[in-house]
Amino acid sequence: MPTPDYLPQRGSTAVFSGPWLRYEPVHGSHRYYQGYTATVIGRWNGTFELSIDAQAVAALARTLDEMAEYVGGDWRTVNFDGRVLTIARPLSLGGGVHLVEPTAGRYRIGWGLSWLPVDPGRCDRVVGHA
């Protein structure tokens, strides 16, 4: 499991990615397919909760959709219609659908996933604004 490059405090802005977006082009050196500029709004169950803008939400939803296609299309859990972010929680986490609307133009994400603050230079692409 990768470790964070640094530990930003609540209210600070950083670039975050997830282990599911990590790859190793050269043995011992890992990169991230995509990073998201986010503001730390807290922690929940030991993981970061973040605030991201609509550009980052749209990119995140597209990336997760592409990954679902790659692995067989059976784990689509996130959708973004340009205004509302829809997260379908797996049955192992209680099931159900969670709708996230923006607050001051920003979306709260985290979902108990292991988001990691990463060096933007290790991302192929960084999306979103503070």
Side-chain angles (χ1 to χ4, degrees):
M1 174 80 160
T3 58
D5 290 342
Y6 50 96
L7 292 173
Q9 299 300 309
R10 184 180 183 156
S12 62
T13 299
V15 173
F16 285 80
S17 195
W20 57 92
L21 294 170
R22 180 178 172 234
Y23 69 99
E24 194 171 8
V26 177
H27 182 68
S29 172
H30 62 268
R31 293 191 54 79
Y32 294 88
Y33 170 71
Q34 193 156 262
Y36 307 92
T37 302
T39 301
V40 177
I41 54 178
R43 295 187 59 101
W44 180 76
N45 257 0
T47 63
F48 285 100
E49 286 201 316
L50 309 167
S51 168
I52 61 177
D53 67 8
Q55 178 189 22
V57 167
L60 174 61
R62 271 192 312 275
T63 299
L64 293 175
D65 191 49
E66 290 168 5
M67 293 175 75
E69 280 298 319
Y70 179 74
V71 298
D74 58 351
W75 59 279
R76 280 186 181 83
T77 58
V78 177
N79 186 47
F80 183 61
D81 67 7
R83 168 92 179 125
V84 176
L85 175 63
T86 304
I87 302 107
R89 291 192 341 235
L91 290 176
S92 62
L93 295 176
V97 174
H98 182 66
L99 303 176
V100 179
E101 295 192 44
T103 301
R106 301 195 56 88
Y107 296 81
R108 183 182 198 114
I109 67 166
W111 315 318
L113 296 175
S114 54
W115 291 100
L116 301 169
V118 297
D119 178 348
R122 292 179 37 211
C123 297
D124 294 347
R125 179 175 172 217
V126 174
V127 292
H129 300 284

